[in-house]
Amino acid sequence: MKSWLAARNVFSEAVLAIAARPGRSIITAVGTLVGVGALTASIGIATTTGAQADRQFQSLANTLVTVTAPADSSGQLALPLESEERLDSLHGVKAAELQFQVSIGKAGVTALPPDADESRSTNVGVIAASPGIFDVSGAQFASGAGFSHLDNDRHLRVAVLGSVAATTLGLGQQSADSTVNIDGVPFLVMGVLSNVTNQSGLLNDAIIPVSVALEIWGPPVSGASVTIATQSNATSAVAHEAPLMLNPQLPKSLLVIGGSGTLNIQAQVGQDFSGLIRLIGGIALVIGFLGIGAITLLSVIERTSEIGLRRALGARRSIIGCQFVCESAILGFSGGVAGTIIAICVVLAIAQAHQQLAVFPIGVLFIAPLVGMLVGMLAGAYPSLRAARLEPVEALRR
Amino acid sequence: MNSRAYELIDVCRTYPGTPPVHALRSVSLVIDHGDYVAIMGKSGSGKSTLLNMLGLLDVPTSGNVVVNGTNCASLTDAQRTDLRRQYIGFIFQSFHLMEYRSAAQNVALGLKYRGYGPSARARLALDALGQVGLTDKSHVLPSRLSGGERQRVAIARALAVSPKLLLCDEPTGNLDSDSANAVLCLIDEVNEKGLTVIIVTHDDEVAAHARRRLHASDGTVTELPRAGA
């Protein structure tokens, strides 16, 4: 008999045998359905969240460089007051800002005059910064706006509150034009932040101009930093040149963070995702493999007399073995297809729930069912061998 | 075609054990094409073992089995299977029908192993069912057939592949008398058309249909005088 005809007969006999026991076949296929579905869904979720993380990481990696200077022993500000202006002229810089933590007295930050009955000190921090901080941090305002270079040059006592700081002080998000007292000194609230793209700690602080902070409280004791938002692919160059711009005499005294640092974190996260995928998928496929193998072996035992009949009618051992392998391969493939479809639905649902764009490697959608088929074939190998080795005389007695 | 359907030369079959079981002891016999042979004997006499040898379902411990001129002593399992598929049809006491397939699908199974395509299988299966008078039951599942009808489907399955040799193992063992008579009439008919029939039975009335009767006892086989001789 021609080989293609034999193959077609084996396939048709396998399909008939599967269709004859629909309940058993479904239970057998569930194994690979779960295994392939879990693996495929894991890959889809990881690539979707990884793409989201990639976008976030890329935005960070490509746009932020931080230059930090320790406290100056001479009592001076460790970075130039005109740091922002110097860096604005650097190629690849979108925005820059100078900032430092202000050490205020025990009076802290309050929303009422210090002699009012209901005033009390809060733990709201105070950050002195150049006006560029609002561009660098991607600040969004619930009310009002940030202070300008003119406000800084005029040493105006103005402040911008973070949303959390405003709440802590008992002020609402629409409290621009109200007054806060910082260490007993009144400041006009020019604006309230609703959100920032980075430096999320600013939402807990009150931000005041650098000139005013130096005038009232003097240079910071904990050093200062400059944060630079760069253009795409300019991070490395800016990170290299910024120290030279800020301290030409001792550029190496400055600590630069940005570019490769955040990209290394990205790679680590990616590795963590991949490891999780392998673990989940591997466990699920092992379960599917064992399930198909066990049920196929049970099927061989139950169909022993049928095997004997087929042998008596002229089926070679190889045909018997191929039939059972074909049955388990078809079941594995069917489970793989169903699992892939379910995985796609799960990933789409999760992506929609998190308002993300679902990302699926297209190759996985074709490979996943084939993995199911391969698992089915391997799981059915031993039962098929047992079926092929049955002697027709013994089989017909059952 | 060789005039001899079977030639057994000193065939022995021993099953290992303590003590070993000598199912066949130096059995020699000749069966010609067109013969109608009944093998009789009590349970454990070796008659089923002899039938398995004739059907190439089992291999002798020693001796030769020659089927239609082919000495099977040196054949591989695949070669014996091919020879069985080419020449031999079987009818079993317990019918061995696939419960989840229709009568026609059961009949067509042997044709599939012979390489027939779907349309040829359907036609030949229907013809075979017609020979046993079950054309109208071609789409019926075995569970809905009587015992006699199921055995007739099994006969149709054996005849569909146009065998040269028909081996029947207690074909009426699970049937009532009317069904048994109907089945035996069918077997008689196919023998009259030239098919070599070998039937294993413990029933004298069944054996009476055959022209030759062999008696198996404790592994040995002797031929009984022909009726009327």
Short mmCIF file of all heavy atoms in Angstrom, two decimals, chain B residues 167-191:
data_model
loop_
_atom_site.label_atom_id
_atom_site.label_comp_id
_atom_site.label_asym_id
_atom_site.label_seq_id
_atom_site.Cartn_x
_atom_site.Cartn_y
_atom_site.Cartn_z
N LEU B 167 -11.21 -18.50 8.33
CA LEU B 167 -11.02 -19.18 9.60
C LEU B 167 -12.10 -18.73 10.57
O LEU B 167 -12.26 -17.54 10.80
CB LEU B 167 -9.63 -18.88 10.18
CG LEU B 167 -8.44 -19.17 9.26
CD1 LEU B 167 -7.13 -18.94 9.99
CD2 LEU B 167 -8.50 -20.59 8.72
N CYS B 168 -12.83 -19.68 11.14
CA CYS B 168 -13.95 -19.38 12.02
C CYS B 168 -13.71 -20.01 13.38
O CYS B 168 -13.55 -21.23 13.47
CB CYS B 168 -15.26 -19.93 11.41
SG CYS B 168 -15.48 -19.57 9.66
N ASP B 169 -13.68 -19.18 14.40
CA ASP B 169 -13.46 -19.67 15.76
C ASP B 169 -14.78 -19.64 16.51
O ASP B 169 -15.24 -18.59 16.96
CB ASP B 169 -12.41 -18.79 16.46
CG ASP B 169 -12.02 -19.34 17.81
OD1 ASP B 169 -12.52 -20.41 18.21
OD2 ASP B 169 -11.20 -18.69 18.51
N GLU B 170 -15.41 -20.83 16.63
CA GLU B 170 -16.71 -20.96 17.32
C GLU B 170 -17.70 -19.89 16.84
O GLU B 170 -18.20 -19.10 17.63
CB GLU B 170 -16.53 -20.85 18.84
CG GLU B 170 -15.59 -21.86 19.45
CD GLU B 170 -16.27 -23.19 19.76
OE1 GLU B 170 -17.43 -23.39 19.35
OE2 GLU B 170 -15.62 -24.02 20.41
N PRO B 171 -17.98 -19.84 15.55
CA PRO B 171 -18.80 -18.75 15.03
C PRO B 171 -20.24 -18.75 15.54
O PRO B 171 -20.90 -17.73 15.49
CB PRO B 171 -18.76 -18.99 13.51
CG PRO B 171 -18.51 -20.45 13.36
CD PRO B 171 -17.62 -20.83 14.52
N THR B 172 -20.73 -19.90 16.04
CA THR B 172 -22.11 -19.94 16.52
C THR B 172 -22.18 -20.05 18.03
O THR B 172 -23.25 -20.28 18.59
CB THR B 172 -22.84 -21.15 15.90
OG1 THR B 172 -22.17 -22.36 16.30
CG2 THR B 172 -22.85 -21.05 14.37
N GLY B 173 -21.04 -19.90 18.68
CA GLY B 173 -20.98 -20.09 20.13
C GLY B 173 -21.87 -19.17 20.93
O GLY B 173 -22.34 -19.54 22.00
N ASN B 174 -22.09 -17.96 20.45
CA ASN B 174 -22.90 -16.99 21.20
C ASN B 174 -24.27 -16.76 20.57
O ASN B 174 -24.90 -15.73 20.81
CB ASN B 174 -22.15 -15.66 21.29
CG ASN B 174 -20.97 -15.73 22.25
OD1 ASN B 174 -20.89 -16.64 23.09
ND2 ASN B 174 -20.04 -14.81 22.10
N LEU B 175 -24.73 -17.69 19.75
CA LEU B 175 -25.98 -17.48 19.00
C LEU B 175 -27.04 -18.49 19.40
O LEU B 175 -26.72 -19.61 19.82
CB LEU B 175 -25.71 -17.58 17.50
CG LEU B 175 -24.64 -16.64 16.92
CD1 LEU B 175 -24.46 -16.89 15.44
CD2 LEU B 175 -25.01 -15.19 17.19
N ASP B 176 -28.29 -18.07 19.21
CA ASP B 176 -29.38 -19.03 19.40
C ASP B 176 -29.42 -19.96 18.19
O ASP B 176 -28.74 -19.76 17.20
CB ASP B 176 -30.71 -18.27 19.57
CG ASP B 176 -31.00 -17.35 18.38
OD1 ASP B 176 -31.35 -17.88 17.30
OD2 ASP B 176 -30.83 -16.13 18.53
N SER B 177 -30.25 -20.97 18.25
CA SER B 177 -30.22 -22.01 17.22
C SER B 177 -30.61 -21.47 15.84
O SER B 177 -29.99 -21.83 14.83
CB SER B 177 -31.15 -23.17 17.62
OG SER B 177 -32.47 -22.69 17.84
N ASP B 178 -31.59 -20.61 15.80
CA ASP B 178 -32.01 -20.08 14.50
C ASP B 178 -30.89 -19.24 13.88
O ASP B 178 -30.58 -19.38 12.69
CB ASP B 178 -33.28 -19.22 14.65
CG ASP B 178 -34.51 -20.07 14.95
OD1 ASP B 178 -34.46 -21.29 14.68
OD2 ASP B 178 -35.51 -19.52 15.45
N SER B 179 -30.31 -18.37 14.69
CA SER B 179 -29.21 -17.54 14.19
C SER B 179 -28.02 -18.39 13.80
O SER B 179 -27.36 -18.15 12.79
CB SER B 179 -28.79 -16.52 15.24
OG SER B 179 -29.85 -15.66 15.58
N ALA B 180 -27.76 -19.41 14.59
CA ALA B 180 -26.64 -20.31 14.29
C ALA B 180 -26.85 -21.00 12.96
O ALA B 180 -25.92 -21.11 12.15
CB ALA B 180 -26.48 -21.33 15.42
N ASN B 181 -28.06 -21.46 12.72
CA ASN B 181 -28.34 -22.12 11.44
C ASN B 181 -28.15 -21.15 10.28
O ASN B 181 -27.61 -21.52 9.23
CB ASN B 181 -29.76 -22.69 11.43
CG ASN B 181 -29.88 -23.94 12.29
OD1 ASN B 181 -28.89 -24.67 12.46
ND2 ASN B 181 -31.07 -24.19 12.82
N ALA B 182 -28.60 -19.93 10.46
CA ALA B 182 -28.46 -18.93 9.39
C ALA B 182 -26.99 -18.68 9.09
O ALA B 182 -26.59 -18.59 7.92
CB ALA B 182 -29.17 -17.63 9.79
N VAL B 183 -26.20 -18.57 10.15
CA VAL B 183 -24.76 -18.32 9.97
C VAL B 183 -24.09 -19.51 9.29
O VAL B 183 -23.27 -19.34 8.37
CB VAL B 183 -24.10 -18.02 11.33
CG1 VAL B 183 -22.58 -18.09 11.23
CG2 VAL B 183 -24.53 -16.63 11.83
N LEU B 184 -24.44 -20.70 9.70
CA LEU B 184 -23.84 -21.88 9.10
C LEU B 184 -24.23 -22.01 7.63
O LEU B 184 -23.40 -22.43 6.81
CB LEU B 184 -24.26 -23.13 9.87
CG LEU B 184 -23.61 -23.28 11.25
CD1 LEU B 184 -24.23 -24.44 12.01
CD2 LEU B 184 -22.11 -23.47 11.12
N CYS B 185 -25.43 -21.64 7.31
CA CYS B 185 -25.85 -21.66 5.89
C CYS B 185 -24.99 -20.71 5.08
O CYS B 185 -24.58 -21.04 3.95
CB CYS B 185 -27.33 -21.31 5.77
SG CYS B 185 -28.44 -22.63 6.30
N LEU B 186 -24.71 -19.55 5.63
CA LEU B 186 -23.86 -18.58 4.93
C LEU B 186 -22.46 -19.16 4.70
O LEU B 186 -21.90 -19.03 3.61
CB LEU B 186 -23.74 -17.29 5.75
CG LEU B 186 -24.83 -16.25 5.55
CD1 LEU B 186 -24.67 -15.13 6.58
CD2 LEU B 186 -24.82 -15.68 4.14
N ILE B 187 -21.94 -19.77 5.74
CA ILE B 187 -20.60 -20.35 5.63
C ILE B 187 -20.58 -21.47 4.60
O ILE B 187 -19.65 -21.59 3.79
CB ILE B 187 -20.11 -20.85 7.01
CG1 ILE B 187 -19.94 -19.65 7.96
CG2 ILE B 187 -18.79 -21.59 6.88
CD1 ILE B 187 -19.59 -20.03 9.39
N ASP B 188 -21.65 -22.26 4.61
CA ASP B 188 -21.75 -23.32 3.60
C ASP B 188 -21.75 -22.74 2.19
O ASP B 188 -21.09 -23.26 1.27
CB ASP B 188 -23.03 -24.13 3.80
CG ASP B 188 -23.00 -24.95 5.09
OD1 ASP B 188 -21.91 -25.08 5.68
OD2 ASP B 188 -24.07 -25.43 5.52
N GLU B 189 -22.47 -21.66 2.03
CA GLU B 189 -22.58 -21.02 0.71
C GLU B 189 -21.22 -20.55 0.21
O GLU B 189 -20.88 -20.75 -0.96
CB GLU B 189 -23.54 -19.83 0.78
CG GLU B 189 -25.01 -20.17 0.73
CD GLU B 189 -25.88 -18.93 0.86
OE1 GLU B 189 -25.38 -17.85 0.50
OE2 GLU B 189 -27.02 -19.05 1.32
N VAL B 190 -20.47 -19.90 1.08
CA VAL B 190 -19.18 -19.35 0.63
C VAL B 190 -18.20 -20.49 0.30
O VAL B 190 -17.36 -20.38 -0.58
CB VAL B 190 -18.57 -18.37 1.64
CG1 VAL B 190 -19.48 -17.18 1.84
CG2 VAL B 190 -18.24 -19.04 2.95
N ASN B 191 -18.34 -21.62 1.03
CA ASN B 191 -17.49 -22.75 0.70
C ASN B 191 -17.85 -23.32 -0.65
O ASN B 191 -16.98 -23.72 -1.43
CB ASN B 191 -17.59 -23.82 1.80
CG ASN B 191 -16.80 -25.07 1.43
OD1 ASN B 191 -17.38 -26.13 1.14
ND2 ASN B 191 -15.48 -24.97 1.43
#
